[in-house]
Each structure stands twice: as C-alpha cells, then as structure tokens.
Amino acid sequence: MSSKDLKRKRSKDNVGRDGMILVADDFGTTFSVIAWVYSSQSNIRNTIIQWPNAISEGLEGITKPKVPTELQYAGGEISWGYRIPDSAQRHKWFNLLLDLTHERNLFSLERELPDSRASAIDSRVTAEKMVTDYLTALRQHVEQSESTQAKTRACAVAAGMTKDNELAMITEPEAVATYTLDAMNPHELKVGSTFVLVDAGGGTVDLISYEVTALKPILKVKEAATGTGALCGSTYINRLFEASSLRKLGNDPMWDDEVLQEASVFGSGA
C-alpha cells in the first residue's frame, strides 16, 4: 500500500470516527431518558424530548424530557411509554426484577399498595424479556428520529444496542457523582476526599460512598465502601398519597380517577 493510499485510508477512518453518534440511556425504574451527541461535536448534547403516544402514528405524539419505563402486551402487540393508553394496564418497575433481591419487596409493594394500572407480575414474562423489549423500543425510536449490571448488559446486547465488547457501562451513582462535582466546580474536594452520594429514584433509594482518585484531566472516583439500597423510592410516596386521597375523598361525587391522576402529577411536581 502506497503512502498516498494509506493517507487516504486514514482520512476515511477519521471521517468515520468523527461521524459517529453516541447514545446514552438513563434506564430508570419509573422513567427513562435518552441523549445523543455527534463524536465530532461532543460539546453539543441533544436530549430526545419527542415520543410517540397512543393516538399518533408518527414519532412526535408528545413532548416530554423523559418517557415512562412501562410496557403493555396486548393482542400480540407491544406498546411502551406514552403509547400505552392512560387507562390501560401496563408492566411497571420490571427492571427491578433483574436484581432478585428486589423481587420479594416488589411483590410486597403490589400487595400492600396496589396500583390500579399496574399489571400483576407474570411469571410467564421474564424480566429479561421485558427489559429487552423496552430497550429495543428505545433503540428503534432513536434510529428513527456486578450481577445486575451483567444482566442489564446481556439485555442491551440482546436488544441490538451494541456488541458486548463495545459496551461501556458505569453505574448511575458514578455518572451522577461525576456530573454533580463537575457542575459544582470549584469545590473543596481533593484527591483522597470521600463523599456519600444519595440517589433517590422512583423505585429505589441507593447510598454509596466514593473516594476521589483524580481531578485532572477528568474527575475519577472509586467506591470507598460497598453501596446499599432499598425499594423505597418515590413510588411508595405516590402510592401512599393515592391511598390517603382515596380514603379521605373517595366518597366525594366529584372524585374520579382523572382527579386522582391530576392530583398525583401536581403533587409530584412533574
């Protein structure tokens, strides 16, 4: 191969790398968020805010910064996110079932604080299938406009989002810690400093301690102690609010499911 051919090949390779689109998915218990960036313009970040809904045929049925992590299986069809009609039953919190330590707590949550729109856990539909189906729907939408981590990786690969050897994963607390400390700059942390991060999400609340190992050229952290978490996120608060409202106002002639939904949205600040 001549030097001219080699230079042309390198030039084409660079164009290919510069033209890559990098996609990040915050796969949450109650909602998910997708952002993307061109590799050649990494300072320009784009968050997907257009989602299909139950009545639209296209991709832009509703404008929201996040989409519900929910699935519906009906008549051989799969609906997800806002595509599920408001009054329809749907699967929720299914990604928690990837961690078997949450399964018993999730059954307890359904029994003690039932959600009228949440489908009962069905042993015939595995958590892996639901996660794969949901991630597949997200991937298709984007294209058109320790053990738990390993299972999530397997589901992402099965959904066709990437190849296993190209998939880089960090925990949500690590991502949040890096972003928060960068946004707080200047801060008083130095190499060797430790801090506790609380991730209060919709399904779980997780606490983890980190030690700063580097500040430049980029912030790097490592676990200072084993993290812990429990199924006690804002879903519990929402369920308790709904149960309390129904108990106090359920006999009022103006009370119905629509009022409850509006009150829940207002109370959550969404």
Side-chain angles (χ1 to χ4, degrees), residues 16 46 71 80 104 123 129 209:
N46 305 276
L71 275 174
W80 64 284
R104 182 177 301 173
S123 60
K129 173 174 173 52
S209 300

Side-chain angles (χ1 to χ4, degrees), residues 122-197:
D122 188 345
S123 60
R124 296 171 299 178
V125 183
T126 66
E128 285 84 355
K129 173 174 173 52
M130 287 188 284
V131 170
T132 300
D133 287 343
Y134 186 82
L135 292 179
T136 299
L138 287 182
R139 175 181 62 83
Q140 292 173 342
H141 182 65
V142 172
E143 287 178 346
Q144 292 174 343
S145 50
E146 300 172 342
S147 66
T148 300
Q149 247 194 18
K151 288 181 179 179
T152 303
R153 174 187 293 273
C155 291
V157 172
M161 298 178 75
T162 184
K163 296 179 181 178
D164 186 55
N165 60 355
E166 296 177 353
L167 180 62
M169 296 181 65
I170 63 172
T171 64
E172 184 177 4
E174 289 173 327
V176 172
T178 302
Y179 174 82
T180 301
L181 293 180
D182 182 65
M184 288 171 57
N185 194 45
H187 48 67
E188 298 180 356
L189 292 177
K190 57 186 179 181
V191 174
S193 295
T194 57
F195 61 94
V196 177
L197 179 71

Side-chain angles (χ1 to χ4, degrees), residues 29 96 99 102 172-173 196-209 227-233:
T29 303
L96 292 177
D99 185 342
H102 287 319
E172 184 177 4
V196 177
L197 179 71
V198 179
D199 177 14
T204 60
V205 175
D206 300 294
L207 290 84
I208 192 166
S209 300
T228 184
L231 189 65
C232 56

